[in-house]
Amino acid sequence: MPDKIIYYAVVGGDRTAETPYGLVRRLEFDGDGFTDEALRKDFSWKFTAAIVEFERGEFTYDLVQVSHAQASKIIEYFREQWGPFGQPLDS
Amino acid sequence: MPGWRDLPSQSGARDQPARLPAADRPTPGSLADLRRRLDALDQGHPSSPRAGDPADHKQSGPDDSGLDQDGGPDRVGGPRDRDGGPQDRDGGPQDRDGGPQDRNRNYWTEVPRFEQLWTEHVERWPAAQPDITVDRSRDPEGSWRGSGNHYLSPEQHVRAKDVIGSVRQAEATISQHIREVERDNSCGGRLAGWDFRLKGEDRLKEKIAGLAETDAPDASAADIVRDIPDAIRYTFCTRPGTYREAYWNIKGLLEAHGFKMIYSQNHWSDSQYKGINTRWVTLDDQRFELQFHTPESFHAKQRITHLPYERTRNPLTHDEERRQLGVFQRQVFSWLSRPDNVSEIPNHRRGRPPDA
């Protein structure tokens, strides 16, 4: 179980933290490192390098930290966009 | 102090940590060698003479103390001041793993230690072997699947190939302008990493697939291929004393050539990376990236922390190793000389340019 979870909205162009391109999160394990995940269109979480890339100026879009409540709203926004159960992934 | 010749060569230097010249090392196995190696170990390293219980580790200096200290992930992606500059101050004491008594130490004197630390890291954490089976048998015609199992649908693949083709076409012209800017700038800015200005085709497809699959799934394929900023990347290096002036001088020259800056991010207050990354668009709507570095920050990025960064990005990397890699990279970047008045260079975002 992570000790802390930090959410980030993926924004760029005319997309804001309310209408982002995506949602990523960092799971921190006290003293044992961290791992990063992104929300996919089937509403599963999968490893992402987006936060690490952003730290190095390599990520295409901006990341804006959001609260857990804001993250929940973003997921609801994506349910409206992608359907309540998401969309099957091509891969 | 190393000069320009010490920059990674523009004609073939690969992204590998430079090897330590043998003449700089004590005799292998000697007491001096052992002492140097022990002193170089991270404070949390089990063989370090400073290693103690976890509480000791927690009380160590900022650069040895892990990600829970200042500069950790909480700062990453925090609400950006889109047009404001970094919040820290110029000229303040840098958090380093050395002390104020180490006046003769600088980034370049620490490079052998960084290399040794990396060697020991690799010994402790051998590279994880990928166990990926790439099965293309059921993929539709026209799709693409890379060796890391990233996937592009036929529509996405067509768009990716289009953007790759236009990048290859545009690069020669942009590069000619960039060379002219190098010739005309008045602050000694020199191009570095020229041979790596074009991102490889598969790497570009992987990046597009990663955004579409996981990182920006609500972006359209058209958005993604348009927004990829670094299919073409240039780097200017200038000395810390003229860095700020060089930034404005080169920016003005690029604008005089008809390019528009759409993004600038000042990373000099960040801990995991230092430099300024800018993104530009040509009159033909071709995007490219331009990084501003000092010789030190370019060396730190390209030669010392590139492989650790790649490991951090790797999904197979263990969480604890990922934490250690963050500590290492922060330590390396903490030794860089800060360019004069660099915090006066603001971040910048510009809306999308009008569609052609």
Side-chain angles (χ1 to χ4, degrees):
Chain A
M1 285 285 289
D3 299 277
K4 188 177 180 183
I5 303 177
I6 306 169
Y7 289 93
Y8 303 94
V10 179
V11 303
D14 58 359
R15 297 297 195 97
T16 66
E18 287 73 41
T19 58
Y21 283 137
L23 181 67
V24 299
R25 66 184 184 183
R26 172 159 288 179
L27 311 178
E28 294 184 12
F29 307 94
D30 189 24
D32 293 316
F34 63 90
T35 192
D36 298 335
E37 296 178 337
L39 184 69
R40 302 205 296 172
K41 273 194 168 178
D42 64 354
F43 291 103
S44 65
W45 291 92
K46 185 185 179 186
F47 174 85
T48 179
I51 300 174
V52 170
E53 290 176 0
F54 183 72
E55 288 177 306
R56 202 170 168 96
E58 301 270 349
F59 190 55
T60 300
Y61 297 112
D62 274 325
L63 298 184
V64 177
Q65 188 174 335
V66 295
S67 67
H68 288 216
Q70 286 174 296
S72 294
K73 285 184 180 175
I74 289 170
I75 292 171
E76 288 310 306
Y77 167 75
F78 285 144
R79 288 196 191 284
E80 292 171 13
Q81 304 296 312
W82 305 338
F85 304 106
Q87 294 176 0
L89 301 170
D90 289 323
S91 54
Chain B
M1 174 69 76
W4 294 114
R5 66 182 183 279
D6 299 295
L7 285 171
S9 164
Q10 295 183 3
S11 58
R14 284 283 164 193
D15 293 347
Q16 298 286 335
R19 295 272 63 82
L20 182 63
D24 291 341
R25 290 181 185 231
T27 306
S30 69
L31 185 59
D33 182 47
L34 176 62
R35 184 178 294 121
R36 185 184 64 81
R37 287 164 61 92
L38 289 173
D39 285 342
L41 294 174
D42 192 325
Q43 196 158 359
H45 193 288
S47 300
S48 168
R50 294 167 292 156
D53 59 34
D56 292 338
H57 186 60
K58 290 279 184 191
Q59 291 166 9
S60 61
D63 287 308
D64 290 331
S65 59
L67 290 169
D68 49 348
Q69 292 284 339
D70 175 58
D74 282 348
R75 296 179 59 202
V76 178
R80 289 282 196 192
D81 175 6
R82 289 196 160 221
D83 294 305
Q87 300 301 308
D88 66 331
R89 299 286 181 270
D90 285 316
Q94 302 245 4
D95 293 331
R96 291 179 171 174
D97 57 349
Q101 72 277 15
D102 299 318
R103 292 183 184 281
N104 293 325
R105 294 168 67 184
N106 58 41
Y107 172 78
W108 298 110
T109 67
E110 300 305 300
V111 165
R113 185 168 67 88
F114 299 148
E115 291 170 336
Q116 182 63 26
L117 284 170
W118 177 245
T119 299
E120 288 165 3
H121 179 94
V122 172
E123 287 170 3
R124 183 181 175 194
W125 299 94
Q129 295 302 311
D131 183 21
I132 296 174
T133 303
V134 179
D135 179 7
R136 301 182 176 93
S137 63
R138 289 183 294 174
D139 292 346
E141 190 176 346
S143 63
W144 174 87
R145 189 179 294 275
S147 57
N149 234 351
H150 284 295
Y151 174 81
L152 289 174
S153 68
E155 182 215 347
Q156 291 169 329
H157 193 202
V158 166
R159 288 186 181 276
K161 285 193 290 189
D162 284 348
V163 77
I164 290 166
S166 57
V167 161
R168 299 292 185 265
Q169 277 193 325
E171 179 273 326
T173 303
I174 300 172
S175 291
Q176 187 178 340
H177 287 287
I178 296 293
R179 282 289 197 197
E180 290 173 11
V181 170
E182 181 188 36
R183 183 195 64 201
D184 296 340
N185 85 88
S186 57
C187 298
R190 293 290 175 267
L191 288 164
W194 182 257
D195 285 351
F196 306 107
R197 63 192 180 281
L198 277 172
K199 193 179 281 293
E201 187 169 325
D202 278 352
R203 179 70 190 94
L204 205 50
K205 289 179 182 176
E206 279 177 18
K207 187 158 189 166
I208 293 168
L211 287 165
E213 279 182 309
T214 55
D215 299 337
D218 206 42
S220 68
D223 285 338
I224 291 171
V225 296
R226 182 201 55 225
D227 292 342
I228 293 284
D230 56 351
I232 308 170
R233 170 183 289 169
Y234 304 98
T235 302
F236 270 105
C237 279
T238 57
R239 300 228 174 266
T242 55
Y243 185 92
R244 178 172 154 274
E245 290 70 23
Y247 174 89
W248 293 113
N249 179 232
I250 289 169
K251 177 177 182 288
L253 290 169
L254 287 166
E255 288 167 344
H257 280 260
F259 302 138
K260 289 186 179 173
M261 178 188 275
I262 56 173
Y263 171 105
S264 180
Q265 186 67 40
N266 186 335
H267 289 277
W268 279 97
S269 61
D270 294 348
S271 60
Q272 294 290 318
Y273 171 72
K274 293 189 187 297
I276 295 179
N277 290 12
T278 64
R279 297 173 186 173
W280 297 78
V281 62
T282 68
L283 291 173
D284 298 327
D285 206 26
Q286 176 60 55
R287 298 185 182 209
F288 66 93
E289 182 178 277
L290 178 65
Q291 297 188 357
F292 291 86
H293 280 287
T294 63
E296 288 180 354
S297 68
F298 186 68
H299 186 273
K301 176 209 163 197
Q302 202 81 349
R303 298 295 189 92
I304 303 297
T305 65
H306 180 75
L307 293 178
Y309 165 67
E310 289 299 332
R311 277 202 179 203
T312 310
R313 292 178 66 244
N314 188 334
L316 299 174
T317 298
H318 190 278
D319 297 344
E320 167 59 13
E321 185 190 3
R322 196 170 283 120
R323 187 189 72 80
Q324 299 266 344
L325 291 165
V327 170
F328 174 74
Q329 291 179 85
R330 186 161 71 243
Q331 190 175 131
V332 171
F333 282 111
S334 73
W335 279 90
L336 301 185
S337 298
R338 190 179 177 82
D340 297 345
N341 303 313
V342 72
S343 69
E344 294 175 9
I345 299 176
N347 297 328
H348 171 70
R349 300 290 189 280
R350 186 172 174 273
R352 291 177 181 171
D355 292 332

